[in-house]
Amino acid sequence: MTQKGIWLLLLLCISVTLQARQQGASITGQVADSVSRKPVEFATVVLMQAADRKTVAHTLTDNKGDFRFTGVAYGVYRIGITMLGYAPLLLDTIRVDAANAAHRLSPRYLSTTTQQLSGVTVAGKKPLIELQDEKLIYNVENDIDKDNSSASDIMRKIPMLTVDADGTIKLKGQTNYKVLLNGRATSLITKDPKEALKAYPASIIKKIEIITEPSAKYDAEGIGGIINIITQRGVIGYNGSLFTNYNTIGRYSGGGSISARRKKVGITAYAGGNIDQSHNSNTISRQSLLPGDKGLLEQSTEFKRDNKMLYGSLEMTYDIDTANSLTIFGNGNISKMTQLMPQISHWSDSTGKPIQSGTNNSDSYSQGHGTGAGLDYQHKFRKPGHELSLVFNMVNSYGDGHTDNSQVYVPGTDSFYRNNTVFTNRAIVTQADYSLPLPHEQFLETGFKGSFQYNTNTATQEVRNKEGAMVPNPSRENIFNTTLNVLAFYVTYRFKIGTKLSVKPGFRLEQTHQTGDFVSTKTRINSDYLSPIPTVNITWQLQPMTSLSFSYSRRLERPNIFAMNPYVNDNDPYNIFYGNPNLKPSYANSFGTYFNKIMEKITFNAGLDYTFINNSIQNIVTVDPAKGISATTYDNIGKSNSVGISTSMRFALTKKWNVSINGRGSHSNFSDGNTIHSSGFSGSAYFNTDYNFGHSFRADGYCYFYSGSPSVQGTSGSNVGYGFTLRKDFLDRKLSVSIAADQPFRKQRPAISETNDPAFHRVYTSYFPANTYTFSVSWRFGKLTTSATRNKSVIDTGM
């Protein structure tokens, strides 16, 4: 499809949607105080399907206490009303049909209460795990372990996610996925998702959304799917929290959040910081398998960190009137990191005779900062669900640092060199989304997005000469500048077949233009490609609170610019890394079938998924037999596929005792159609139980197992863990104190990974500290809360 054709298609869709007729019934009413009989302004009114209490629309009462729902499809509904300082009110069922198309309800009166409200749905406390359309939702706010956990810790509990011993998070076994914060890319997470999520406190997270087969509305980037972290936000009145925790392995964190709203203005802000002074170690054993050369390299490395980070975010929302709202948001982070890596190496020949030994100290020092800012405008038409939103988002990041490498080898020569790096990144995103409800429960969404990213990176090396002076090494200078621009258009259309079957096909088209100028190697990249992305989601409502769904999504992995950089990283001279500028994009086709059942005491989810990829981008390790140096780079290996089964269940044994279980098993294949072929099984299981002893005292225990997973040339390490949390609330649950023990009967956690090749066999063992304890204190303040923000920021607004 030509670019001219894309624009014509867009104009056609906009023309159709803007001319679509608004049909349907209306429901109006008024909310007032039960004592004074005065109107209650800014109360949240939720329209729900009577069968399953699924939210259809929500609005706020005006200055006269009035509310209105228009364009309501025929059906049976219930209305829930919540307001700060009042008990929630759930109205009787309302039938909307041709004979009852206009409902004017009599005034409804709210009674004051001192009880904490449970949420916008009015239907009570949400389950820990929910399934909504293509999203699996983990409600972190209901997890009692959240005050002494990081986002990475919480993700161990979520179906379809696994967390390796080093904190590497995998979604359906994939490490290529998108991580968003409140639907947006941020400098904090974009730079290094693994480390950022280990540092991000779970106490300020409301929920985490897992989207494995995203609809066409979402960016196509991310083979595994999307992880969207939603923070606490959106209140009437004000509330906030302060938290701090200390971990015995040398991690400290603290911070706070506040949300406030008065009439038309709402503010949500959070800030925090953390210090990581933890230690861990690893060993590498690599044996040559070449005939006549069975040499063995053994290395042991210590990792000593001293990392500090500050971060914060501010969001301000202004409701211009009942139809228009404007949100301004910003975020930022500052980091300073030090990592000392003393390493000991021993090299021996086929007979075990020592050939060479030595030490290599690689000490890294870096600092950086990132900022993000944006504007979100939303217009709501009179018909619920009929909306137009415009988004502008800009993310900047900067970092500089150096690594000092000192080497002493016997026999051999001593050396000292310093690798310096400086990088900048800027990403600008503009997006427009339009949604239109149509008669007979049909729904149309369409929109555009433009993403423009620019990166610079400069790497230089200085070498200590015989006189002890540091002099530049021109042969190791590396400068590269890159751009990545993506234009996208999408359309989705949801319709129903009968009363129980909902179908949502979609189509997305992304035009990618990527350039790279690697100045030192005189290598240039100029790549253009058009990516059609079809999607479909089919949901069958078997009965109230029971559903079966099928999803398909085509996904895209663009080559990461750092994976394309041919610059050689030789901080560890025996294990070097460099990129491949010839990498091509990779496409994945992902299918999923999911079953969801919510009963009074049991929530059950199960899923079967299958993904196949062409030109899969993978790490490849080779060894130079003459020098004994292993080199890691990236390549499009050919084809890979994976089939997986996921299940989760949470049930109440008693009113005070809950149990959660989730697990996943999968089988993966990798092949280049020639010499590379690898396959294997992987599995994970997580068990959690919590008990309420009464008197605001609770306990939580968990254990997990991850078998590791196959890779192109071997397997990743397994991971086993267990622990418990004790928590006590004071002062009407405003003050919470907890202690968490992680693997209290183990000194350390080993994780073993293997790499197999006809020329060598390598075993990589990481040792992480265990027997750790976390002490946490949190304080909640403010008035009663209830969600009332009208703003609905566009999901996935970042590259």
Side-chain angles (χ1 to χ4, degrees):
M1 181 182 293
T2 64
Q3 290 187 356
K4 182 177 180 181
I6 297 174
W7 289 108
L8 290 175
L9 180 59
L10 168 67
L11 294 175
L12 177 61
C13 288
I14 293 178
S15 176
V16 170
T17 55
L18 292 178
Q19 295 181 36
R21 296 177 57 197
Q22 299 187 34
Q23 300 178 357
S26 65
I27 302 174
T28 59
Q30 185 187 46
V31 180
D33 186 283
S34 61
V35 177
S36 67
R37 289 304 199 252
K38 292 182 179 180
V40 175
E41 185 180 8
F42 294 112
T44 300
V45 185
V46 184
L47 181 66
M48 300 173 288
Q49 295 177 358
D52 57 8
R53 295 192 185 181
K54 182 178 181 180
T55 299
V56 176
H58 63 87
T59 187
L60 301 176
T61 56
D62 60 20
N63 57 1
K64 297 180 179 180
D66 292 332
F67 65 87
R68 173 185 294 272
F69 295 106
T70 58
V72 180
Y74 293 164
V76 181
Y77 300 94
R78 299 194 75 175
I79 288 179
I81 305 172
T82 62
M83 178 59 189
L84 174 67
Y86 294 91
L89 183 63
L90 186 62
L91 308 188
D92 293 335
T93 57
I94 301 171
R95 180 173 294 278
V96 177
D97 53 30
N100 302 278
H103 285 269
R104 175 63 189 179
L105 306 180
S106 59
R108 294 303 195 265
Y109 299 101
L110 299 181
S111 301
T112 58
T113 180
T114 58
Q115 299 292 321
Q116 174 94 15
L117 301 183
S118 59
V120 66
T121 63
V122 195
K125 187 176 181 179
K126 293 182 179 180
L128 199 60
I129 297 175
E130 295 181 277
L131 192 64
Q132 295 182 5
D133 296 327
E134 70 264 22
K135 300 177 184 178
L136 185 145
I137 300 173
Y138 188 87
N139 291 302
V140 179
E141 61 184 344
N142 293 338
D143 191 319
I144 72 168
D145 201 34
K146 64 181 182 299
D147 290 333
N148 41 258
S149 299
S150 67
S152 180
D153 295 330
I154 289 293
M155 287 181 181
R156 297 184 190 277
K157 305 181 179 184
I158 304 178
M160 292 182 284
L161 290 183
T162 55
V163 182
D164 291 353
D166 67 347
T168 298
I169 299 168
K170 295 182 180 179
L171 174 55
K172 292 198 312 181
Q174 296 282 345
T175 55
N176 179 264
Y177 48 80
K178 294 277 286 186
V179 180
L180 305 173
L181 185 63
N182 295 320
R184 312 180 185 107
T186 68
S187 58
L188 174 64
I189 294 179
T190 301
K191 180 181 177 182
D192 191 343
K194 181 178 75 173
E195 294 301 323
L197 295 176
K198 288 197 305 189
Y200 200 81
S203 57
I204 62 175
I205 299 176
K206 180 180 179 65
K207 61 183 179 180
I208 298 175
E209 298 176 342
I210 307 299
I211 311 170
T212 54
E213 288 85 32
S215 72
K217 182 177 180 178
Y218 298 87
D219 277 354
E221 178 75 20
I223 294 293
I226 295 171
I227 300 174
N228 187 28
I229 300 171
I230 307 296
T231 58
Q232 300 280 2
R233 58 203 296 199
V235 298
I236 292 177
Y238 74 94
N239 79 331
S241 65
L242 298 172
F243 68 91
T244 183
N245 62 60
Y246 162 75
N247 187 286
T248 54
I249 63 173
R251 291 176 180 165
Y252 317 79
S253 66
S257 64
I258 187 168
S259 295
R261 184 176 182 88
R262 180 173 176 83
K263 295 184 178 181
K264 295 184 176 183
V265 179
I267 296 177
T268 299
Y270 63 85
N274 62 77
I275 299 173
D276 182 357
Q277 296 177 334
S278 60
H279 297 186
N280 66 284
S281 62
N282 70 38
T283 61
I284 298 176
S285 176
R286 191 185 75 223
Q287 184 175 19
S288 173
L289 301 179
L290 297 174
D293 180 14
K294 302 293 183 179
L296 177 67
L297 171 66
E298 294 180 305
Q299 294 179 301
S300 60
T301 308
E302 297 288 331
F303 297 86
K304 304 176 181 179
R305 301 176 187 82
D306 186 7
N307 300 337
K308 301 177 179 66
M309 179 183 291
L310 297 174
Y311 56 87
S313 174
L314 175 65
E315 181 178 291
M316 295 184 291
T317 299
Y318 175 66
D319 289 339
I320 302 170
D321 51 37
T322 57
N324 299 279
S325 64
L326 188 66
T327 298
I328 300 174
F329 54 88
N331 56 74
N333 65 86
I334 301 173
S335 63
K336 186 174 183 180
M337 301 185 180
T338 299
Q339 181 166 268
L340 308 181
M341 298 189 337
Q343 181 185 80
I344 299 174
S345 302
H346 296 282
W347 186 267
S348 57
D349 62 16
S350 302
T351 65
K353 179 182 178 181
I355 299 176
Q356 187 183 54
S357 63
T359 60
N360 173 36
N361 292 315
S362 183
D363 301 335
S364 298
Y365 307 87
S366 64
Q367 60 184 358
H369 61 262
T371 58
L375 186 67
D376 184 337
Y377 166 77
Q378 186 179 36
H379 175 74
K380 290 189 175 184
F381 299 88
R382 295 189 63 184
K383 188 174 184 178
H386 188 189
E387 301 175 1
L388 172 68
S389 62
L390 305 173
V391 172
F392 172 83
N393 188 20
M394 180 171 66
V395 176
N396 296 286
S397 58
Y398 167 87
D400 66 76
H402 66 273
T403 301
D404 291 339
N405 298 275
S406 59
Q407 301 167 3
V408 178
Y409 290 103
V410 180
T413 58
D414 301 346
S415 65
F416 179 90
Y417 57 92
R418 174 175 294 166
N419 291 332
N420 304 295
T421 59
V422 178
F423 76 87
T424 62
N425 173 274
R426 170 171 291 182
I428 297 175
V429 175
T430 59
Q431 184 167 346
D433 294 89
Y434 178 76
S435 60
L436 176 67
L438 298 171
H440 310 296
E441 299 186 61
Q442 301 174 88
F443 195 74
L444 179 69
E445 294 178 294
T446 187
F448 280 95
K449 179 178 179 181
S451 302
F452 312 96
Q453 190 173 141
Y454 178 71
N455 301 277
T456 66
N457 191 293
T458 301
T460 59
Q461 186 179 85
E462 299 172 276
V463 180
R464 180 178 293 167
N465 61 18
K466 295 180 179 180
E467 289 73 31
M470 300 298 294
V471 296
N473 180 7
S475 66
R476 293 300 311 278
E477 183 178 88
N478 181 63
I479 301 172
F480 68 94
N481 305 313
T482 64
T483 63
L484 177 63
N485 300 325
V486 180
L487 297 177
F489 161 76
Y490 77 89
V491 59
T492 71
Y493 171 62
R494 187 182 69 205
F495 60 93
K496 297 200 71 172
I497 300 176
T499 59
K500 296 185 177 181
L501 194 63
S502 175
V503 183
K504 184 181 179 181
F507 181 76
R508 186 180 186 92
L509 200 61
E510 293 193 351
Q511 175 68 46
T512 302
H513 178 64
Q514 188 172 21
T515 67
D517 185 7
F518 301 92
V519 178
S520 304
T521 59
K522 299 181 180 179
T523 304
R524 291 180 178 271
I525 299 171
N526 195 332
S527 178
D528 275 285
Y529 47 93
L530 189 65
S531 304
I533 308 295
T535 66
V536 67
N537 179 272
I538 302 172
T539 301
W540 183 18
Q541 198 72 34
L542 302 174
Q543 55 183 328
M545 312 303 284
T546 305
S547 63
L548 180 67
S549 65
F550 168 80
S551 298
Y552 163 74
S553 178
R554 191 175 193 228
R555 307 297 296 158
L556 166 65
E557 180 180 7
R558 297 183 180 90
N560 183 293
I561 198 63
F562 293 101
M564 302 174 73
N565 181 14
Y567 176 76
V568 177
N569 182 331
D570 60 354
N571 289 333
D572 179 352
Y574 275 113
N575 300 281
I576 65 174
F577 299 83
Y578 60 91
N580 178 4
N582 298 314
L583 287 176
K584 304 298 181 184
S586 174
Y587 293 92
N589 293 276
S590 184
F591 303 82
T593 300
Y594 305 97
F595 174 79
N596 182 50
K597 176 74 174 179
I598 299 178
M599 294 170 278
E600 182 179 357
K601 295 184 178 181
I602 300 177
T603 300
F604 176 76
N605 300 291
L608 174 67
D609 57 83
Y610 174 72
T611 301
F612 70 88
I613 308 173
N614 295 321
N615 293 322
S616 178
I617 299 175
Q618 299 287 338
N619 289 340
I620 300 295
V621 181
T622 59
V623 172
D624 183 337
K627 299 179 180 179
I629 297 174
S630 71
T632 301
T633 187
Y634 302 85
D635 202 359
N636 297 97
I637 67 160
K639 298 182 179 180
S640 66
N641 63 74
S642 176
V643 60
I645 299 175
S646 300
T647 183
S648 69
M649 180 168 57
R650 180 174 174 82
F651 54 92
L653 293 177
T654 68
K655 290 183 178 180
K656 296 184 177 182
W657 190 6
N658 297 301
V659 174
S660 298
I661 303 172
N662 69 61
R664 176 174 174 80
S666 64
H667 184 270
S668 302
N669 285 286
F670 305 90
S671 175
D672 68 347
N674 188 13
T675 59
I676 296 177
H677 181 77
S678 176
S679 64
F681 290 91
S682 64
S684 64
Y686 189 94
F687 174 85
N688 176 271
T689 181
D690 61 84
Y691 189 83
N692 187 344
F693 292 95
H695 306 288
S696 301
F697 179 65
R698 290 180 291 174
D700 176 278
Y702 65 88
C703 61
Y704 58 85
F705 166 75
Y706 174 48
S707 68
S709 59
S711 62
V712 176
Q713 293 176 283
T715 58
S716 64
S718 61
N719 189 14
V720 178
Y722 57 89
F724 63 86
T725 300
L726 300 175
R727 172 170 170 164
K728 172 68 176 175
D729 295 332
F730 302 90
L731 303 177
D732 195 23
R733 299 186 178 181
K734 291 183 178 180
L735 176 66
S736 297
V737 179
S738 62
I739 178 174
D742 182 56
Q743 299 167 95
F745 306 110
R746 303 172 68 188
K747 183 178 180 180
Q748 58 186 8
R749 295 176 296 153
I752 302 174
S753 300
E754 294 189 53
T755 303
N756 297 300
D757 186 86
F760 68 94
H761 175 235
R762 186 177 71 171
V763 178
Y764 187 103
T765 305
S766 298
Y767 300 92
F768 299 93
N771 193 27
T772 64
Y773 299 85
T774 303
F775 303 90
S776 304
V777 178
S778 63
W779 169 262
R780 292 170 293 280
F781 59 88
K783 298 182 180 180
L784 303 178
T785 64
T786 177
S787 178
T789 299
R790 302 183 76 259
N791 169 60
K792 186 183 75 174
S793 181
V794 179
I795 292 294
D796 202 12
T797 61
M799 290 304 303

